[in-house]
Amino acid sequence: MRLTSEAFQDGGAIPARYTCDGEDVSPPLAWDGVPDGTQALAILVEDPDARGFVHWVLADIPGEALAMAEGEGDAVGTPGRNDFRRSGWGGPCPPSGEHRYVFTLYALSQPVGLPEGTDAGAVRSRMEGHVMATATLTGVYRRNR
């Protein structure tokens, strides 16, 4: 599987539009190579430079979906609670320096089936044993202050 964004390349800078310094909307994403039999997809976005701070939990994206438009991710699946303590996308907002943001897409053999606002730990637990494939996309962001 492969995960891409028209907004930034793997290893490239995430535009401010998708961060706390801009409109803070989810970036456009697209993927291909989803395994046959995929029933649902999930996305987790974490900052490994901030002890795995979770920026996005999105579960139960339809298995036949191949993309999500800018700002529409939370309407495509079931948004979970991020580490900002709210549901949905919470863009990059590092306190200092440059941070990495790892977008991980999971192809699942069954839906997660958890309610909106569920945290990443519960989603990971529910995905266990049902992950058919994964793909990652990493972006970086440094605040200009």
Side-chain angles (χ1 to χ4, degrees):
M1 236 178 15
R2 187 173 65 116
L3 178 61
T4 61
S5 177
E6 63 187 39
F8 62 96
Q9 293 187 2
D10 190 37
I14 297 172
R17 172 173 179 70
Y18 307 107
T19 74
C20 67
D21 295 321
E23 289 82 5
D24 204 10
V25 295
S26 60
L29 297 172
W31 48 89
D32 58 27
V34 175
D36 289 341
T38 297
Q39 297 297 305
L41 300 156
I43 295 175
L44 295 177
V45 178
E46 298 169 281
D47 176 354
D49 300 312
R51 296 179 301 282
F53 191 94
V54 176
H55 285 265
W56 203 14
V57 178
L58 188 61
D60 293 344
I61 301 163
E64 64 276 4
L66 297 175
M68 61 179 64
E70 173 184 281
E72 294 184 6
D74 292 331
V76 173
T78 303
R81 189 175 72 244
N82 59 40
D83 285 345
F84 292 113
R85 301 189 191 283
R86 63 181 190 260
S87 285
W89 171 256
C93 198
S96 65
E98 183 175 274
H99 283 229
R100 294 168 293 153
Y101 299 88
V102 180
F103 292 68
T104 305
L105 175 70
Y106 300 85
L108 305 171
S109 60
Q110 70 179 37
V112 172
L114 292 170
E116 183 173 331
T118 300
D119 68 19
V123 170
R124 277 192 193 95
S125 212
R126 190 64 71 93
M127 290 191 305
E128 200 168 300
H130 302 287
V131 176
M132 300 168 66
T134 62
T136 61
L137 171 66
T138 301
V140 297
Y141 186 68
R142 174 188 298 273
R143 296 183 77 186
N144 293 325
R145 339 191 235 163

